[in-house]
Amino acid sequence: NLLVLFEPRPVANRASATDMASGPVDESRVTEVLARNAELQREVKTTREYMQAVVEEQEGTNEELRSANEEIQSANEELQSTNEELETAKEELQSTNEELATVNEELEIRNQETDRVNSDLINLLASVEIPIVIVGPDLSVRQFTKPAGKLLNLIDTDIGRPLGNIRANIEIPNLEAEVLHVIDSMVTHSIELQDNGGCWYSVRMRPYRTLDKRIDGAVVAFIDIDDIKNFERTKETLEEERKLATIVRNSNDAITLQDFDGIIQAWNPAAQRLFGYTEQEALVMNVRT
């Protein structure tokens, strides 16, 4: 900004100016006046040029200010647009957070269900009195019951070990091949064998199926069938005795059976015909008397 002040310049002597007009002219004075006038004109010209420069500079500044205002206006519009986008993003983020909260709640529920299922499985395996081993598709041990630990010499650190590395108390020929066949064929298979103490087991191998019906290993259960085997042996023995008794009874030769004291234990019809005593009478007799 520029402030220009014009101050009045007093005339040195009005009478002198009159005298100059009426009297003879002082050339030196005229020269002085002309020089002063020229100087004033130069000052006025310089002032005008300076004022013109100031005006042009002011106009340039105003133009820059208008351009700056336009840029600020544009920036404000961009900021407004950005604020709107941020508001939209905030709403989307809020919606996403709500969805995540719902998903977290569902995951929490599923985790609780998984924990409950795992607890049920652990308690089930702990209460089952049957040797059971669960193996993965690579035949590594996943889980086993306490009786299986005794039968197969398994401990907790054996989880993750290959089944073939376990030295069990029961000899299972080609166990790994049998289990792999069950996994590949998806068909249950069973074999019968004895442990080192002579107890009979039915080893039942079945595929391990996930909830989505994938085969992810196998379950090997050892069912104690020693009583069944004993019953079958007893049944076979009784059958043999029945056959022998039939042969003895139907034989045409007299056949008797005595204990070490000579007391008759058996008496067939041929003996009854030969000696004349009925079986009931003979069973209380002693062959030594």
Side-chain angles (χ1 to χ4, degrees):
N1 295 328
L2 177 66
L3 178 62
V4 181
L5 299 177
F6 295 91
E7 296 181 357
R9 192 177 183 89
V11 178
N13 193 328
R14 186 178 299 272
S16 297
T18 304
D19 293 341
M20 289 176 61
S22 58
V25 177
D26 189 350
E27 292 182 0
S28 61
R29 181 64 176 170
V30 170
T31 301
E32 181 181 351
V33 171
L34 292 175
R36 180 60 180 168
N37 185 39
E39 181 181 356
L40 290 175
Q41 288 180 353
R42 287 195 298 273
E43 289 179 359
V44 170
K45 183 179 180 182
T46 302
T47 301
R48 286 179 178 176
E49 291 175 351
Y50 178 76
M51 289 295 295
Q52 182 66 29
V54 169
V55 170
E56 291 177 355
E57 183 179 354
Q58 184 67 32
E59 289 178 351
T61 302
N62 291 338
E63 185 65 28
E64 292 177 357
L65 287 175
R66 282 193 296 271
S67 177
N69 286 333
E70 291 176 357
E71 292 178 358
I72 292 173
Q73 183 65 27
S74 176
N76 286 335
E77 292 175 356
E78 292 179 357
L79 287 175
Q80 182 66 26
S81 176
T82 301
N83 287 335
E84 293 175 356
E85 292 176 358
L86 288 175
E87 186 66 25
T88 302
K90 180 181 178 181
E91 293 175 355
E92 293 177 353
L93 184 61
Q94 181 67 26
S95 176
T96 302
N97 287 336
E98 293 174 357
E99 293 177 358
L100 287 176
T102 302
V103 172
N104 286 334
E105 291 177 0
E106 293 177 355
L107 287 176
E108 182 66 23
I109 294 173
R110 292 185 180 180
N111 287 336
Q112 293 176 359
E113 293 176 350
T114 301
D115 291 341
R116 183 169 58 253
V117 171
N118 288 334
S119 298
D120 292 344
L121 177 60
I122 292 173
N123 282 275
L124 178 62
L125 292 176
S127 62
V128 169
E129 297 298 329
I130 299 175
I132 298 176
V133 179
I134 301 176
V135 298
D138 58 351
L139 301 187
S140 61
V141 178
R142 283 184 180 172
Q143 293 287 348
F144 60 88
T145 61
K146 187 175 181 179
K150 295 180 180 179
L151 180 63
L152 303 178
N153 285 331
L154 291 171
I155 57 178
D156 292 340
T157 55
D158 288 328
I159 293 179
R161 290 182 57 193
L163 187 62
N165 292 352
I166 307 300
R167 302 188 64 179
N169 292 326
I170 184 171
E171 186 68 25
I172 309 176
N174 302 320
L175 176 61
E176 293 179 271
E178 294 281 358
V179 175
L180 285 174
H181 176 71
V182 168
I183 294 174
D184 294 337
S185 64
M186 298 181 291
V187 176
T188 301
H189 179 59
S190 64
I191 57 176
E192 294 182 359
L193 43 82
Q194 287 179 295
D195 64 7
N196 296 340
C199 182
W200 280 92
Y201 289 91
S202 174
V203 184
R204 301 179 183 178
M205 295 164 280
R206 60 175 300 171
Y208 180 100
R209 287 184 171 85
T210 62
L211 293 178
D212 54 357
K213 306 302 181 182
R214 292 185 300 105
I215 302 301
D216 193 33
V219 180
V220 183
F222 297 80
I223 309 300
D224 187 344
I225 59 171
D226 201 54
D227 291 340
I228 297 176
K229 285 291 186 180
N230 290 334
F231 174 77
E232 290 178 351
R233 287 193 294 268
T234 302
K235 184 179 179 181
E236 291 174 357
T237 301
L238 291 175
E239 183 64 21
E240 292 296 328
E241 291 179 354
R242 187 186 65 80
K243 291 179 180 179
L244 180 59
T246 301
I247 294 173
V248 170
R249 182 171 296 278
N250 296 332
S251 175
N252 292 323
D253 297 326
I255 299 175
T256 64
L257 178 65
Q258 304 93 30
D259 62 14
F260 292 108
D261 295 328
I263 303 297
I264 297 174
Q265 301 294 321
W267 188 268
N268 71 341
Q272 180 179 338
R273 292 192 300 271
L274 179 62
F275 298 107
Y277 297 101
T278 65
E279 183 178 12
Q280 186 175 3
E281 293 172 336
L283 290 180
V284 296
M285 298 174 64
N286 191 313
V287 296
R288 297 178 182 177
T289 57

